[in-house]
Amino acid sequence: MSDTLHIVGGGLAGSEAAWQAARMGLRVVIHEMRPKVGTFAHKTGDLAEMVCSNSFRSDDDEQNAVGLLHWEMRAAGGLIIDSADRHRLPAGGALAVDRDPFAATVTERLRAHPNISVTHEEVDALPSSGSWIFATGPLTSPALGAAIRAETGTDALAFFDAIAPIVYFDSIDMSKAWMQSRYDKGETEEERTAYLNCPMDRETYEAFIDALLAADKTEFHDGETASYFDGCLPIEVMAERGRETLRHGPMKPVGLTNPHQPDIKAHAVVQLRRDNAFGTLYNIVGFQTKMKYGAQADVFRMIPGLENARFARLGGIHRNTFINSPTLLDEQMRLKSRPNIRFAGQITGVEGYVESAAMGLLAGRMAAAELTGKCVAAPPPTTASGALVTHITGGAEAKTFQPMNVNFGLFPPVEGLKGGRRGRRDRYKAYTDRAKTDWTAWLNQTEDKLSAATL
């Protein structure tokens, strides 16, 4: 049996899968079509390029499921989470990443590994032999998408991802805006002032909503219906659901005090998060959009403090495909009709950078163990990683399968808490305590098979 693992896609999932397999001593070939074949969203040829946001979300490993996933990936020697830690930016309790040096670091470490080679070519078919992981992400090429549909006999499911705009800091009017994390969250002054806030009174907010609803939007191809992941809705779609929706979502004014007008409570607040280490770029939090470029500039400059904003990147929208994993994949993340092929990352129906990388971590370990004649079972569903892989390989209802972030609703109930009246903090702490114990046990049972090296 060949001891070479082929990975198609050099995003977060593919990069993590390659790292885990190479640490076991396997030869790994990453097939990444960029920069030879570009995409709408990517700007470079780097591996693990982050295109939608720079946030890995909450880093709280006791009260938040994605923070727990961070913890599990750190314990497993994950490349993606380690690189994120090296390039983290102040973001209150979240793990925000300086995306360009992050991708450069991942690329450098993978290319420097003696067991890994990278080839820039488009793979447009499903190989019948060899060991392969397809981690082509939300922008799977049309040719490969057609090959997947032909093999599975079903249409690939699809929804649409929207990207938020990025503003140059020096174009923001700080006589109107101010720096503060909501509820002053953070251990240091830098963390407590990690977000830039732009306040709106009622009149400005109502005019902003009117402009959002009236703005020119991107149109879809004939016969194409837009289905969005709820965690990444365009702001205009949220506004269409009700005029107060944004005030209770990304523009909620709670936990913030405007130092320019401390006695006046804002009706709504637009938050921006630092996008790079220099603090020269800020992305508008939750402002994914499908507005056309000209309309975006006009509408966003209605925000107090952004009247003269210059944009390093305007928002956009792109198609995001994923497979019906509960019907197509086995518990080892293999394609049932072609068990030499595994899928990992967002194409499996997990949503988010962290979840994508976590599925790459598992796929890389499982494939590498199989190639060396060993077996690594999926982690138990009581862990964050195990809950996700259980969900996509049979735990979810196939007929209604949609992309899913990690959340405690995917975990089995903790014994002794079911039906009880304990508070949410106690309940979440019980979930995370159990998960850490079970994840550590799973790692200890499998680590001797994985020939793990120190990062």
Side-chain angles (χ1 to χ4, degrees):
M1 181 180 291
S2 171
D3 61 350
T4 298
L5 174 63
H6 296 269
I7 297 174
V8 183
L12 275 71
S15 295
E16 187 64 59
W19 180 257
Q20 295 293 328
R23 293 172 70 220
M24 286 186 64
L26 263 71
R27 293 194 297 273
V28 178
V29 179
I30 300 174
H31 303 262
E32 170 53 56
M33 68 180 186
R34 295 178 295 111
K36 184 177 180 181
V37 179
T39 75
F40 157 76
H42 293 88
K43 304 302 180 186
T44 76
D46 282 345
L47 303 174
E49 181 182 346
M50 300 167 68
V51 299
C52 181
S53 169
N54 73 328
S55 178
F56 277 35
R57 312 195 315 279
S58 174
D59 202 33
D60 184 346
D61 61 22
E62 293 189 349
Q63 293 292 312
N64 191 284
V66 75
L68 173 62
L69 199 55
H70 294 175
W71 185 93
E72 292 179 3
M73 294 170 68
R74 289 182 180 112
L79 170 66
I80 295 301
I81 195 69
D82 182 72
S83 300
D85 286 335
R86 293 184 185 203
H87 298 289
R88 81 182 291 158
L89 298 172
L95 174 55
V97 176
D98 194 353
R99 69 176 91 200
D100 290 339
F102 162 82
T105 293
V106 173
T107 302
E108 178 183 355
R109 295 175 74 183
L110 288 172
R111 289 187 178 277
H113 199 292
N115 293 342
I116 298 174
S117 61
V118 181
T119 179
H120 294 285
E121 60 182 359
E122 180 180 2
V123 175
D124 58 8
L126 298 180
S128 57
S129 62
S131 184
W132 293 75
I133 295 175
F134 280 77
T136 47
L139 296 176
T140 296
S141 70
L144 181 56
I148 293 171
R149 288 193 296 273
E151 173 63 28
T152 61
T154 61
D155 288 336
L157 304 177
F159 66 107
F160 290 83
D161 260 355
I163 296 173
I166 295 176
V167 179
Y168 287 101
F169 174 76
D170 63 6
S171 69
I172 299 171
D173 184 353
M174 294 304 294
S175 71
K176 298 178 181 179
W178 77 96
M179 308 297 298
Q180 182 189 8
S181 297
R182 189 168 274 118
Y183 298 110
D184 297 312
K185 189 171 183 178
E187 295 182 359
T188 66
E189 180 64 18
E190 190 176 38
E191 291 175 337
R192 289 190 290 272
T193 57
Y195 289 82
L196 190 152
N197 303 280
C198 298
M200 285 187 181
D201 58 22
R202 180 185 292 275
E203 182 180 357
T204 304
Y205 177 80
E206 294 296 340
F208 181 74
I209 296 298
D210 288 339
L212 274 182
L213 296 175
D216 287 337
K217 317 292 194 308
T218 299
E219 300 296 332
F220 301 108
H221 299 300
D222 291 342
E224 198 166 49
T225 302
S227 175
Y228 300 101
F229 172 62
D230 277 344
C232 201
L233 285 174
I235 54 170
E236 57 272 11
V237 173
M238 285 189 275
E240 289 167 0
R241 294 183 174 185
R243 298 184 68 88
E244 292 292 289
T245 302
L246 287 170
R247 281 192 65 237
H248 296 281
M251 295 176 66
K252 58 181 177 286
V254 299
L256 298 165
T257 301
N258 183 354
H260 305 303
Q261 296 178 310
D263 298 327
I264 299 177
K265 182 68 174 178
H267 187 68
V269 174
V270 175
Q271 284 201 308
L272 294 85
R273 179 179 56 235
R274 198 162 92 183
D275 200 71
N276 65 346
F278 295 116
T280 56
L281 300 174
Y282 276 74
N283 68 70
I284 310 180
V285 178
F287 269 46
Q288 302 84 218
T289 182
K290 61 174 183 173
M291 286 187 289
K292 292 183 178 179
Y293 283 173
Q296 284 184 51
D298 291 340
V299 173
F300 293 146
R301 286 179 180 138
M302 295 176 66
I303 299 170
L306 301 188
E307 293 90 344
N308 298 305
R310 291 181 292 106
F311 295 93
R313 182 189 75 189
L314 287 165
I317 190 165
H318 60 85
R319 186 179 180 87
N320 185 341
T321 57
F322 63 99
I323 63 174
N324 196 322
S325 293
T327 63
L328 300 176
L329 303 184
D330 66 13
E331 67 281 356
Q332 287 277 309
M333 304 171 70
R334 295 175 297 206
L335 190 61
K336 292 177 183 178
S337 62
R338 292 201 187 189
N340 68 305
I341 293 173
R342 282 177 168 83
F343 282 85
Q346 286 189 310
I347 196 171
T348 66
V350 298
E351 176 61 21
Y353 289 138
V354 182
E355 291 87 341
S356 178
M359 294 303 94
L361 186 152
L362 293 183
R365 285 181 168 232
M366 289 174 174
E370 184 176 68
L371 277 173
T372 54
K374 302 165 186 175
C375 179
V376 170
T382 52
T383 65
S385 301
L388 275 173
V389 75
T390 297
H391 178 73
I392 65 173
T393 59
E397 174 57 53
K399 291 182 180 179
T400 57
F401 185 61
Q402 287 290 315
M404 179 72 74
N405 286 125
V406 67
N407 64 85
F408 287 126
L410 301 179
F411 290 54
V414 176
E415 286 187 30
L417 291 180
K418 186 176 181 180
R421 298 176 61 86
R422 296 177 65 180
R424 185 176 65 178
R425 291 190 63 83
D426 289 336
R427 186 167 67 253
Y428 287 175
K429 183 66 162 55
Y431 277 122
T432 56
D433 285 348
R434 180 184 63 177
K436 291 176 181 179
T437 297
D438 292 352
W439 180 255
T440 300
W442 181 78
L443 282 180
N444 289 340
Q445 291 168 3
T446 60
E447 202 66 17
D448 61 327
K449 302 178 181 179
L450 302 180
S451 303
T454 302
L455 277 173

